Amino acid sequence: MEFSMSEAVVAVRDLAAQIFSAQRDEAALKAFDRGERRWQEPVWKLLAGSGLIGVALPESDGGSGLGLTALFAVLEEPGRHVAALPLLAATV
């Protein structure tokens, strides 16, 4: 059984990591923690614009068609970079 990630999944993961690391915002996280914000909107807009929110959706539905492995690669990054986003809720 093969457990390595495809080049497409690695590219998706790397793009997500790049977006999250470039958009690290301590003030936004504190506002989220105080209940002043529901999520980090600038990061959300970048994810949407890059197509990362729809990586698991079929191409016929406007997604990338890369499946759950790509989605899990994207979902790992908010935890790694401590980002407050409704990513899982928006992708399933």
Side-chain angles (χ1 to χ4, degrees):
M1 184 175 272
E2 181 66 36
F3 289 107
S4 62
M5 289 188 273
S6 70
E7 288 182 29
V9 171
V10 170
V12 163
R13 181 198 61 201
D14 292 348
L15 177 58
Q18 181 182 4
I19 289 172
F20 282 106
S21 65
Q23 296 297 313
R24 187 172 179 100
D25 185 352
E26 297 294 328
L29 286 174
K30 288 179 182 177
F32 171 78
D33 192 44
R34 291 188 301 265
E36 298 168 4
R37 287 194 177 154
R38 294 182 62 197
W39 60 75
Q40 292 171 273
E41 291 182 35
V43 179
W44 185 256
K45 289 177 183 179
L46 284 171
L47 290 174
S50 67
L52 291 178
I53 293 174
V55 294
L57 295 174
E59 290 180 35
S60 61
D61 292 329
S64 300
L66 295 175
L68 291 177
T69 303
L71 175 60
F72 295 148
V74 172
L75 289 174
E76 189 175 15
E77 294 306 318
R80 187 179 315 272
H81 297 282
V82 191
L85 296 169
L87 193 52
L88 180 61
T91 56
V92 292

